[in-house]
Amino acid sequence: MTQKILFFLIALWTALTLNFLIPRLMPGDPAERIMSRIAGEASPSAVEALRIAIGIEKDKSLIVQYLEYIKNSFTGNFGISYVYYPVLVRDVLKSSLPWTIGLVGISTAISFLIGTWLGAIAGYKRDKPVGVALTMVSLMIKAFPYFWLSMMFLYLFGYVLKWFPLSNAYSTKEFLSGWSFVLSVVYHAILPGTTLVVGSIGSWILTMRNNIVSVLAEDYILLAEAKGLSQQEILANYAMKNAILPSVTAFGLSLGFVVSGALLTEIVFSYPGVGYQLYRAAVSQDYPLIQAIFFFISLSVLSANLLMDFVYMFLDPRTRG
């Protein structure tokens, strides 16, 4: 346990250090870019004033900047966003993080539950038509790129059939509150959420199918069949308990990546989540926002990895040694 926590701290420190160094190795001055975007040609005094306003202090040494960066990362002081100037980065994240966690988190959980259940059936009935059909469909779905699937869903169900809205996370045409706002959020999330579930369910089905096929070849499964247990009892009490362990690990890591959002899906649906903000920050070279998003992605992935190590130790006693 101590070794796992030590690895977590070293990996987090490495991620923080790279997150600090990479933007500073990139050429150009953010203040000059903002001024050229806002006012075209700007005087040196105006650029210097903006440089002070957004917190760029060139007179400080790299070590001092690094120590302040570490302190600010853990106190939530990520500076001012260049894209949404003068809005603070933490305020941008506060407004976008709930949308991503709600959409991507729920979609990931639904995809995992349905995919694992269908994968168990596909593996247990691998020689039957239903097992072959599930495997073929999973392979076909897995080959679809996310952005292509998003655009097809948007075109068919949003533009042609007009069943769902084309963009945004809720209706902006009228003032909504209470349950009407909640229903509007759910209505707008159906299409991007369905895209995420359909796009990822193939991987869960194939992973669980392969695990079940491997477990069914074990001797204790043959013993259970020899004892006359029903197929449902063997699948539920013996096969799935052991086959689901790798899927649980993959699910934990997927939860860690929830914070990063579904970048392409959020861009296609103009969904105001973290992935969409990361795209805007990268296009506009908004380094404080990029650093803050990468910090939370690193922290969430490493935390999920550490948590799944403990969960795995609880589920599989063989890993406790």
Side-chain angles (χ1 to χ4, degrees), residues 17 34 43 77 112 153 188 217 234 262:
T17 303
I34 293 174
S43 63
N77 181 17
F112 170 74
F153 275 40
H188 282 70
I234 295 173

Side-chain angles (χ1 to χ4, degrees), residues 123 126 208-218 220-221 243:
R126 60 191 180 281
M208 190 61 184
R209 178 200 176 275
N210 295 337
N211 295 339
I212 285 286
V213 170
S214 177
V215 168
L216 288 178
E218 297 290 339
Y220 59 86
I221 298 295

